[in-house]
């Protein structure tokens, strides 16, 4: 450690630290613009000039390394004079339009100008003007004349997002930040550039001119989207959510937000919001009151159970529902003798039921420090944007990342090993890696692997995982959403588990949604799933849907729609109007912003939150609706006063250690598989869930739907298949699965396996198709 004296106080910091690090450790504030603790040092704003004894002139604190015995003064006359002259230069060209600036009231430049600026300007020349730019639907670059060239946005793109979408052109006073010619900003974490901008040059397009910061009330919340459990600050004005910002939590999301977390609030007052209970009579929808609607539901469930038995009724939820909602749903159904309750809508293999409660298997923060990682079956950047930024950080620090997947997507992370295969060959790919790992370690492969040969790609991946000092180089083998949704998910699990055990790596799942782990913990899973498959495989007489839109959320939407259309009664509990053609009752329930609840994230951390605004119209929190439904069905134990009492009953009290209930280890021996030959290879589908269509909130947010990631799905095929079909990129093709077909624009990806057709799920255009994995046919339209 190096000891220095800063403003008369002694402080010790590691060698190589900067003066700014020492000041941060002491809690001493040094004014700055370009410095940010998560970004590299640029030293181009010069606002952090401080006096260093024996140095002839003031030095920038962010870029001056400490040396033993150094004496620094941050507020001496020399330092303050330097800081004031820098502020005068910064304000020379600034338009000084604070009264109409969106950043007014939370602007770093404004705050520091009060302390370090003059009351009048000596500058009499013309101010420079920068023309506005177009950066897409999320970020506004209308006022780039305010930019002070701190380059935080440029560095964020390069270092955290992994893609340089902003850059600086010109020199001297003609330098300006701009996008690449004709390009918009398309990163899935681009909104963080708005937070990073210390002046009002980059602002939020959806929020622009809608409120002033001092009018907003700030409330803590938790993201209802991916499995990280990102911490949010929801800003409210007049009972309406106006903006969502990150709440810093180093253990989870650091100080970042994905764009889905940041902008999905725009769907909360969407025209599709359901605000009154509705019942279908004679094919027409009519508004009704809660009492009538719930009595109709209770009466219908009673009748169907009486006539067809309890097994003819099923309750289906999404893993974006809270712990309290899922717990009461299964409690009400099971209390009435109905065992068919499940939240795993996109899962197709249930062989590990009762053995495994999937979770990350490590703290989220450890993703930034792992040294060896194998990710299997994950559209990493789009499924888990902030987990991807952590893995990017790890790789920059020397980690080796390997991928086994069905398409060679650019994760914007340098990748050491890749094995790209058709989904039906994923088990063969892992079998190949199992043999390569056994060979590298000089041990026998598991029984049944005698005839398997390790491919060159498998050997390269094994080389990154098998190391001498495994304890000093933490490793992880992680299964992504596509692996968990795969028809052979249990076999993939067994092979991946063996690889993790033999290489001394931790083993886990990214898991797909905000409360997937919570769903397992509250037992919202069907006991019969191992035998019967999902709840749409064998159609039921009645369905209760909680937040679920099966035509977009199910593993096989074709099958789900058929089951729902054939049912005698379908009850849809949702924040939005949907399923108008198959539902009989629509019950308006609160989205995350209007209810209290708990999500359990991928590491097993339970995070509770309160509603941030009052429910819209006649909307009610789902836990209250289910409580009343339990009472109407004559069940005992449905007299909860608040959501906390439900949480405590479901999870065993606030702060209960949930990690003891989580388990990734299955008692299943790995099974071997060989790659299919070209002669056997039939066309098969690989389905991703596009980032902004994964859940009901995101798929109704107008700004997100205008982004590049929300464009209509393509039918992506390999160059080899395109040649056989005589198809060029941009041609229309018809893809068919079972009884459904979709006509889509073709795209060609040279890196896609020859027999794979990539067609996104969870989109209206592809909702008539069948399973996310499996046979598919394609022809030129």
């Amino acid at each position: 450690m190096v000891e220095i004296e800063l403003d008369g106080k002694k402080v010790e910091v590691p060698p190589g630290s900067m003066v700014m690090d020492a000041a941060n450790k002491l809690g001493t504030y040094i004014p700055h613009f370009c410095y940010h603790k998560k970004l590299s040092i640029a030293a181009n704003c010069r606002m952090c000039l401080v006096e260093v004894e024996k140095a002839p002139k003031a030095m920038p604190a962010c870029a001056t390394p400490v040396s033993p015995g150094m004496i620094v003064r941050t507020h001496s006359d020399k330092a303050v004079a330097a800081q004031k002259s820098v502020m005068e230069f910064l304000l020379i060209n600034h338009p000084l339009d604070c009264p109409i600036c969106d950043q007014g009231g939370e602007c770093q430049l404004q705050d520091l100008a009060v302390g370090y600026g003059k009351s009048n300007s000596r500058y009499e020349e013309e101010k420079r003007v920068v023309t506005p730019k177009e950066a897409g639907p999320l970020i506004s670059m209308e006022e780039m004349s305010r930019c002070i060239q701190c380059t935080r946005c440029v560095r964020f793109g390069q270092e955290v997002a992994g893609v340089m979408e902003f850059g600086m052109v010109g020199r001297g006073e003609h330098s300006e930040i701009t996008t690449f010619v004709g390009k918009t900003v398309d990163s899935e974490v681009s909104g963080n550039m708005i937070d990073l901008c210390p002046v009002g040059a980059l602002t939020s397009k959806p929020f622009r001119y809608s409120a002033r910061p001092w009018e907003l009330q700030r409330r803590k919340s938790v993201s209802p989207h991916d499995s990280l459990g990102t911490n949010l600050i929801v800003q409210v004005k007049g009972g309406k959510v106006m903006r969502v910002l990150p709440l810093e939590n180093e253990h989870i999301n650091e100080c970042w937000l994905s764009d889905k977390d940041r902008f999905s609030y725009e769907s909360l007052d969407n025209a599709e919001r359901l605000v009154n209970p509705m019942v279908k009579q004679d094919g027409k929808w009519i508004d009704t009151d809660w009492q009538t609607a719930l009595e109709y539901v209770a009466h219908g469930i009673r009748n169907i159970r009486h006539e067809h038995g309890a097994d003819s009724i099923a309750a289906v939820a999404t893993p974006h529902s809270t712990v309290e909602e899922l717990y009461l749903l299964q409690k009400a159904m099971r209390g009435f003798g109905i065992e068919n309750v499940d939240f795993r809508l996109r899962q197709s293999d249930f062989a590990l039921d009762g053995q495994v409660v999937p979770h990350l298997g490590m703290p989220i923060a450890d993703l930034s420090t792992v040294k060896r990682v194998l990710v299997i079956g994950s559209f990493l950047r789009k499924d888990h944007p902030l987990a991807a930024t952590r893995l990017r950080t790890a790789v920059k620090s020397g980690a080796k990342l390997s991928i086994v997947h069905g398409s060679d997507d650019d994760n914007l992370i340098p990748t050491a090993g890749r094995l790209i295969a058709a989904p039906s060959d994923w088990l063969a790919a892992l079998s190949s890696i199992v043999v390569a790992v056994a060979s590298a370690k000089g041990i026998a492969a598991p029984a049944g692997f005698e005839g398997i040969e390790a491919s060159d790609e498998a050997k390269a991946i094994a080389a990154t995982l098998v190391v001498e000092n495994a304890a000093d180089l933490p490793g992880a083998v992680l299964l992504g959403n596509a692996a968990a949704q795969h028809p052979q998910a249990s076999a993939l699990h067994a092979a991946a588990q063996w690889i993790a055990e033999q290489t001394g790596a931790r083993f886990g799942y990214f898991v797909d949604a905000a409360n997937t782990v919570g769903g397992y913990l509250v037992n919202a899973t069907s006991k019969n799933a191992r035998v019967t498959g999902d709840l749409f495989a064998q159609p039921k007489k009645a369905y209760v849907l909680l937040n679920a839109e099966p035509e977009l959320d199910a593993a096989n939407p074709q099958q789900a729609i058929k089951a729902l259309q054939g049912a005698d009664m379908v009850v849809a509990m949702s924040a939005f109007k949907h399923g108008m053609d198959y539902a009989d009752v629509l019950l308006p329930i609160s989205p995350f912003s209007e209810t209290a609840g708990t999500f359990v994230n991928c590491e097993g951390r339970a995070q509770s939150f309160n509603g941030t605004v009052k429910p819209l119209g006649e909307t009610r929190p789902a836990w209250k609706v289910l409580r009343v439904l339990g009472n109407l069905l004559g069940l005992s134990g449905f007299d909860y006063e608040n959501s906390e009492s439900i949480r405590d009953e479901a999870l065993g009290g606030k702060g209960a250690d949930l990690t003891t209930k989580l388990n990734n280890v299955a008692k299943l021996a790995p099974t071997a598989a060989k790659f299919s030959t070209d002669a056997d290879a039939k066309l098969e589908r690989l389905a991703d869930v596009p980032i902004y269509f994964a859940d009901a909130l995101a798929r109704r947010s107008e700004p997100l739907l205008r982004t590049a990631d929300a464009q209509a799905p393509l039918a992506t095929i390999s160059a080899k298949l395109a040649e056989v079909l005589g198809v060029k990129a941009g041609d229309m093709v018809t893809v068919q699965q079972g009884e459904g077909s979709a006509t889509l624009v073709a795209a060609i990806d040279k890196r896609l396996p020859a027999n794979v057709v990539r067609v996104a799920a969870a989109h209206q255009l592809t909702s008539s198709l069948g399973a996310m994995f499996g046979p598919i046919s394609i022809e030129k339209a």
Side-chain angles (χ1 to χ4, degrees), residues 117-263:
K118 293 188 170 179
S119 55
N120 62 329
S121 171
R122 296 185 283 171
Y123 186 75
E124 291 174 355
E125 287 73 21
E126 275 193 24
K127 293 200 175 214
R128 71 177 196 144
V129 176
V130 180
T131 51
K133 315 279 189 303
E134 178 50 52
L138 305 179
I139 299 177
S140 171
M141 296 180 78
E142 289 292 312
E143 282 91 13
M144 290 307 289
S145 298
R146 298 173 186 158
C147 177
I148 59 168
Q149 280 83 44
C150 69
T151 68
R152 277 184 178 183
C153 54
V154 179
R155 284 175 287 145
F156 172 83
Q158 285 178 299
E159 296 162 20
V160 181
V163 55
M164 185 172 172
E165 293 182 295
F166 280 135
M168 189 182 279
V169 293
R171 297 187 66 181
E173 76 155 2
H174 300 294
S175 55
E176 55 184 87
I177 302 286
T178 184
T179 57
F180 286 91
V181 179
K183 293 281 175 91
T184 54
V185 175
D186 296 327
S187 164
E188 59 284 346
V189 289
S190 66
N192 294 295
M193 297 179 187
I194 300 166
D195 296 341
L196 285 172
C197 185
V199 296
L202 301 179
T203 52
S204 164
K205 226 176 219 182
F207 174 70
R208 212 167 130 76
Y209 296 146
S210 58
R212 308 302 316 220
W214 55 84
E215 301 174 314
L216 300 171
Q217 296 167 303
R218 292 158 176 75
R219 290 166 190 163
K220 293 180 184 178
S221 193
V222 178
S223 162
H225 302 296
D226 66 26
S227 60
L228 234 65
T230 300
N231 289 198
L232 311 176
I233 295 171
V234 178
Q235 298 193 329
V236 174
K237 176 188 173 188
K240 184 181 166 190
V241 175
M242 303 302 288
R243 184 166 62 160
V244 171
L245 297 175
L247 176 63
E248 189 167 340
N249 186 334
E250 276 303 312
H251 302 295
I252 297 174
N253 54 303
E254 302 173 90
C255 53
W256 311 127
L257 268 193
S258 72
D259 288 354
K260 179 155 66 167
D261 297 332
R262 184 184 298 271
F263 295 109

Side-chain angles (χ1 to χ4, degrees), residues 273-274 290 546-547 573-575 587-591 619-622 625:
R273 270 302 293 271
L274 180 63
W290 272 105
L546 174 63
N547 285 318
M573 300 170 65
S574 173
L587 302 178
I589 57 168
S590 302
T619 304
R620 295 289 177 269
V625 177

Side-chain angles (χ1 to χ4, degrees), residues 355-432:
Q355 286 191 54
V356 165
V357 178
H359 64 294
L360 191 61
M362 57 200 276
I364 291 167
D366 287 6
L367 289 173
S368 303
T369 55
V370 287
K371 294 297 175 195
R372 309 167 285 139
V373 196
L374 171 60
V375 175
I376 301 158
S378 176
F379 297 92
L380 186 61
R381 257 178 71 200
K382 305 301 178 186
D383 288 346
H384 306 283
L386 295 182
T389 63
R390 282 194 181 270
L391 287 176
R392 196 170 291 119
T393 302
V395 169
K396 279 166 64 182
S397 306
K400 296 229 177 343
L401 170 69
S402 300
I403 303 275
V404 173
H405 198 31
S407 71
D408 193 6
D409 292 10
D410 187 359
N411 288 311
L412 306 175
I413 309 174
T415 305
R418 275 189 181 84
L419 214 170
I420 306 302
S424 60
D425 281 334
W426 287 2
L427 185 55
L430 290 188
S431 301
S432 189

